[in-house]
Amino acid sequence: MSLPKTSIHGEWSSRLAFILAATGSAVGLGNIWKFPYMTGEYGGGAFVIVYLLCIALIGLPIMMAEVMLGKRGRSSPINTMQALAQETGRSQIWQLLGWSGVIAGFLILSFYSVIAGWALAYVPRLASGMFTVVSDLPTANAVADFVDTQFNALVGDPLRLLAWHTAFIIVTITMVAGGVQGGLERAVRWMMPALFILLLVLVGYAMSTPKFMDGVHFMFNIDFDKLLYSKGEFRYDGILAAMGQAFFSLSLGMGSIMVYGAYLPKQASIAQTTTAVVVADTLVAILAGLIIFPIVFSNGLQPDAGVGLVFKTLPIAFGQMPFGSFFGTVFFVLLALAAWSSAISLIEPAVAWLVETGKFTRLSATIGCGLAAWLVGLATVFSFNIWSDIKPLSQFASFEDKTLFDLIDYLTTNIMLPLGGLFIAIFVAWIMKRQIVSDEFKSSPNRLGFQVWYFLLRYLTPLGIGLVFLNTIGVFS
Ligand code: PHE
């Protein structure tokens, strides 16, 4: 089988379109919802620095590798891996990398959609001015209680969550069905810049809060004890959590970026485009932290409030700032849109593969995948209410209080994505012929850059992932 020259699914209209789409995939709930609450849970600065190191030394090299694989294979991750394994005379078992990505994509979308549903649910809440009362409340405690109650009322109601989850899946399906240029590209073109501008406005607000510097200090003061100990007890998972978050935030290890690479115009430079995506993604996460932590400290909230953190902090800002209801509405619309452009990329690998089998149209493939993710998503919907007491792995101390949602999140973010990344690094740097890899980079003017990248991917990246995993084995004790 020879490699296809172009993808049957179409191509991005330009290099910029690819950057926008890949940024659309990377920037999402991971940056604005997950990064702040994880940073809060793992004690701030040390988590942030490990995260940034993982982005630079593991994430960036793997992203380049994924784009390169896609660009060479020009098809869904499953078929790309099959074709490239064949090209180098290796076992078809490498196809499994594509399969595990498809499964991870479904599992992630299943909870991603529920959380994106929360963002949707906050749109009418802000539009109606619900949070303007916070500026009249007498104490910081009263404010914290108010936002807490509002959040709990939402997640405690299975039917409401189900409705928003369903709405989000439907919107995602509609967009994916539109195909590469029609659907994906049009959506991300204006969304990303708009989101960015709004984040800057919010940083402006955060700077006006009394505890802005406390927030900055929390994020950048490196204290490893806070990452490694919780309430005086050693915890194994802090470093793994930071690495998992790097994978999650960059959409790596499951084929999203690979399949987007398959639609990359032939002459586009891999190194430059991916660097742009990584920088944008990191910037958005840091901005989100710089917005949220000052609000946390200025209002007596706890940084380790968990999954509800963003939903309990930002409404306070919007409740107090001029034109807050307007900005708040726009913000949650943009957050939902950012989630949407990530969700699209979560099912694209599966949809592309189904279409390539020749048995499905893009529409039927998309509907099927959307339905499957919707169904699995019920586990997350109920994890916050009627099933909140179900803790399937409660016999292991480290998983004692993990709900179904927590476990799906843990399995995908901390295990499947890094493992996927590890095998991608091994495949590109140890299995594929160096000449072929280098050919794919030939539009890149910088040979030294290539050598550094190749070295990282061959040694440092796999070693780093391996060490983090080893460090975590104690998690099961
Ligand atoms: N990167 C996305 C985010 O940060 C989530 C995602 C993960 C998307 C994996 C695709 C693949 O929100």
Side-chain angles (χ1 to χ4, degrees):
M1 191 167 100
S2 69
L3 294 170
K5 290 257 174 320
T6 53
S7 136
I8 60 166
H9 312 283
E11 233 173 53
W12 306 111
S13 61
S14 67
R15 192 179 81 140
L16 180 67
F18 168 80
I19 296 182
L20 285 171
T23 310
S25 165
V27 174
L29 296 172
N31 309 61
I32 294 169
W33 161 71
K34 208 168 186 200
F35 174 75
Y37 91 73
M38 301 272 286
T39 302
E41 252 173 39
Y42 288 101
F47 178 87
V48 174
I49 195 76
V50 177
Y51 170 76
L52 292 176
L53 280 175
C54 290
I55 292 274
L57 298 177
I58 298 177
L60 181 62
I62 291 185
M63 190 183 268
M64 291 190 194
E66 263 202 66
V67 176
M68 191 276 293
L69 288 173
K71 192 167 169 238
R72 185 155 184 89
R74 294 270 163 214
S75 40
S76 66
I78 294 177
N79 286 330
T80 287
M81 288 315 296
Q82 185 194 17
L84 295 184
Q86 199 168 38
E87 185 189 41
T88 35
R90 291 308 170 118
S91 152
Q92 289 303 306
I93 204 139
W94 284 100
Q95 238 188 88
L96 284 181
L97 197 54
W99 281 104
S100 92
V102 164
I103 294 167
F106 273 115
L107 291 175
I108 295 176
L109 182 60
S110 81
F111 71 78
Y112 206 81
S113 157
V114 177
I115 314 292
W118 300 355
L120 285 176
Y122 269 68
V123 172
R125 287 178 152 200
L126 277 133
S128 67
M130 175 194 256
F131 292 101
T132 48
V133 298
V134 297
S135 51
D136 300 329
L137 294 174
T139 60
N141 261 342
V143 172
D145 273 354
F146 178 77
V147 284
D148 220 45
T149 314
Q150 294 304 334
F151 178 72
N152 293 336
L154 171 67
V155 298
D157 183 345
L159 284 182
R160 261 205 283 172
L161 288 195
L162 190 62
W164 289 115
H165 166 54
T166 311
F168 186 80
I169 289 277
I170 291 176
V171 188
T172 304
I173 292 179
T174 316
M175 209 25 125
V176 179
V180 171
Q181 288 200 6
L184 311 188
E185 210 178 302
R186 230 183 18 217
V188 287
R189 224 164 236 284
W190 57 274
M191 261 166 49
M192 286 300 128
L195 183 70
F196 199 73
I197 293 170
L198 212 63
L199 285 173
L200 290 180
V201 171
L202 283 169
V203 173
Y205 168 83
M207 290 172 91
S208 77
T209 60
K211 300 254 167 92
F212 179 67
M213 283 323 286
D214 288 18
V216 174
H217 185 259
F218 179 77
M219 271 188 74
F220 297 112
N221 179 45
I222 302 170
D223 175 354
F224 270 95
D225 282 356
K226 287 197 180 148
L227 177 63
L228 301 174
Y229 292 91
S230 165
K231 301 187 186 89
E233 274 189 44
F234 187 72
R235 56 175 162 195
Y236 294 95
D237 60 337
I239 294 179
L240 178 66
M243 181 174 78
Q245 173 62 16
F247 276 94
F248 186 88
S249 192
L250 292 177
S251 309
L252 294 178
M254 49 78 55
S256 284
I257 292 296
M258 202 189 294
V259 80
Y260 276 16
Y263 311 150
L264 188 68
K266 196 80 205 158
Q267 67 292 354
S269 148
I270 296 175
Q272 287 166 1
T273 43
T274 40
T275 308
V277 176
V278 171
V279 169
D281 186 73
T282 309
L283 213 60
V284 172
I286 298 289
L287 285 181
L290 285 178
I291 294 164
I292 286 160
F293 291 112
I295 301 177
V296 165
F297 295 117
S298 299
N299 291 281
L301 299 164
Q302 292 305 322
D304 60 354
V307 290
L309 187 67
V310 179
F311 297 91
K312 294 176 189 170
T313 47
L314 294 187
I316 301 182
F318 295 127
Q320 290 173 341
M321 62 199 260
F323 308 108
S325 298
F326 169 75
F327 281 130
T329 311
V330 178
F331 179 84
F332 281 103
V333 169
L334 287 174
L335 181 57
L337 288 173
W340 187 30
S341 63
S342 302
I344 291 171
S345 71
L346 281 163
I347 49 172
E348 183 64 22
V351 170
W353 180 73
L354 286 173
V355 173
E356 283 161 17
T357 62
K359 299 199 185 82
F360 298 85
T361 60
R362 196 164 172 93
L363 183 66
S364 59
T366 312
I367 293 178
C369 293
L371 256 178
W374 180 84
L375 252 172
V376 186
L378 298 183
T380 294
V381 166
F382 299 140
S383 287
F384 292 98
N385 35 71
I386 53 180
W387 290 355
S388 60
D389 289 331
I390 300 185
K391 315 267 163 75
L393 294 184
S394 55
Q395 68 268 38
F396 300 102
S398 310
F399 297 100
E400 189 164 69
D401 38 49
K402 290 208 184 317
T403 59
L404 279 168
F405 154 71
D406 295 324
L407 290 175
I408 298 176
D409 177 22
Y410 190 94
L411 172 71
T412 50
T413 308
N414 289 0
I415 299 174
M416 295 182 81
L417 301 187
L419 269 185
L422 177 64
F423 284 110
I424 286 169
I426 293 177
F427 186 80
V428 172
W430 291 93
I431 305 280
M432 281 178 81
K433 294 196 183 66
R434 186 182 165 121
Q435 190 54 46
I436 291 182
V437 177
S438 148
D439 281 353
E440 287 300 320
F441 275 85
K442 69 173 171 288
S443 51
S444 152
N446 190 341
R447 293 323 287 175
L448 179 68
F450 175 81
Q451 277 160 5
V452 172
W453 168 77
Y454 199 77
F455 176 83
L456 281 178
L457 201 67
R458 207 169 153 91
Y459 302 105
L460 206 72
T461 307
L463 194 74
I465 302 176
L467 282 179
V468 176
F469 273 132
L470 280 182
N471 164 271
T472 315
I473 293 211
V475 107
F476 292 99
S477 59

